């Protein structure tokens, strides 16, 4: 996590996301493919060109549906976090603005956990609440304050 802390001002967000998205490291996506953040594959990915198709649930139109999606396959956990930082700092919308700028501009984990959902990282309506519970239970926000 050191690499992420050096490159991102709210490390508690990424740590909480990795716990939530990977089921605390128990998902096959995490332990088999080093993808702790549930990062979906895109052709513009600069860290990896490998992917695996897996079943996942998405929240759409008020209900959860099961779909198959391409997820990134990494060589290491460090690559997973580097890729997430790259995603946050580089992916642009059609209008040229950074998709995750509101996350990057967040002043604390409260704002960052709301912005990551609003910017479209996850579809779950409880994503923000679940991230905050993890951050608060394990006092991860103390990592943010030490920066």
């Amino acid at each position: 996590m050191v690499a992420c802390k050096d490159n991102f001002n709210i490390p508690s967000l990424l740590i909480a996301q990795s716990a939530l998205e990977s089921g605390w490291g128990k998902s096959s996506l995490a332990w088999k493919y080093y993808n702790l953040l549930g990062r979906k594959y895109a052709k513009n990915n600069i860290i990896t060109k490998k992917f695996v198709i897996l079943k996942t649930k998405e929240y759409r139109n008020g209900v959860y549906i099961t779909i198959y999606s391409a997820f990134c396959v990494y060589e290491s956990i460090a690559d997973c976090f580097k890729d997430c930082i790259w995603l946050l700092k580089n992916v642009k919308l059609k209008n040229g603005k950074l998709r995750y700028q509101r996350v990057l501009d967040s002043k604390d984990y409260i704002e960052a956990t709301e912005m990551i959902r609003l910017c479209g990282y996850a579809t779950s309506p409880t994503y923000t609440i679940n991230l905050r519970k993890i951050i608060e239970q394990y006092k991860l926000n103390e990592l943010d304050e030490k920066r």
Side-chain angles (χ1 to χ4, degrees), residues 50-66:
K50 297 177 184 177
F51 64 90
V52 62
I53 307 291
L54 295 172
K55 190 171 22 173
T56 188
K57 292 188 186 268
E58 297 274 329
Y59 189 80
R60 295 187 187 163
N61 300 319
V63 296
Y64 282 97
I65 61 168
T66 300

Side-chain angles (χ1 to χ4, degrees), residues 97-139:
K97 293 183 179 180
L98 285 177
R99 178 176 179 178
Y100 294 100
Q101 188 64 57
R102 293 182 292 170
V103 178
L104 298 171
D105 292 342
S106 295
K107 293 172 182 54
D108 57 31
Y109 79 93
I110 298 289
E111 189 176 353
T113 52
E114 179 67 10
M115 292 302 114
I116 196 80
R117 185 187 62 78
L118 290 176
C119 290
Y121 191 90
T123 61
S124 170
T126 60
Y127 197 68
T128 297
I129 293 165
N130 293 335
L131 291 174
R132 287 179 187 168
K133 284 180 184 176
I134 293 168
I135 291 169
E136 291 164 2
Q137 180 177 353
Y138 295 97
K139 300 179 182 172

Side-chain angles (χ1 to χ4, degrees), residues 39-46 48-49 51 70 72 86-87:
R39 173 85 156 92
K40 291 188 178 160
Y41 181 78
K43 290 180 183 176
N44 67 346
N45 190 297
I46 63 163
T48 185
K49 297 297 178 193
F51 64 90
C72 293
W86 179 88
L87 171 83

Side-chain angles (χ1 to χ4, degrees), residues 2-117:
V2 176
C4 290
K5 186 176 178 192
D6 292 340
N7 294 308
F8 186 64
N9 63 345
I10 304 180
S12 64
L13 174 66
L14 294 182
I15 296 167
Q17 281 185 281
S18 67
L20 183 61
E21 294 279 354
S22 73
W24 294 92
K26 293 179 183 176
S27 74
S28 64
L29 189 60
W31 58 261
K32 192 171 183 182
Y33 303 110
Y34 299 109
N35 187 336
L36 274 69
L37 293 160
R39 173 85 156 92
K40 291 188 178 160
Y41 181 78
K43 290 180 183 176
N44 67 346
N45 190 297
I46 63 163
I47 302 293
T48 185
K49 297 297 178 193
K50 297 177 184 177
F51 64 90
V52 62
I53 307 291
L54 295 172
K55 190 171 22 173
T56 188
K57 292 188 186 268
E58 297 274 329
Y59 189 80
R60 295 187 187 163
N61 300 319
V63 296
Y64 282 97
I65 61 168
T66 300
I67 63 167
Y68 287 87
S69 266
F71 290 90
C72 293
V73 172
Y74 299 106
E75 297 294 321
S76 68
I77 291 171
D79 283 351
C80 174
F81 285 103
K82 285 178 196 173
D83 188 42
C84 188
I85 297 295
W86 179 88
L87 171 83
L88 294 174
K89 292 185 173 186
N90 292 284
V91 171
K92 294 184 178 178
L93 299 167
K94 290 180 183 177
N95 65 10
K97 293 183 179 180
L98 285 177
R99 178 176 179 178
Y100 294 100
Q101 188 64 57
R102 293 182 292 170
V103 178
L104 298 171
D105 292 342
S106 295
K107 293 172 182 54
D108 57 31
Y109 79 93
I110 298 289
E111 189 176 353
T113 52
E114 179 67 10
M115 292 302 114
I116 196 80
R117 185 187 62 78

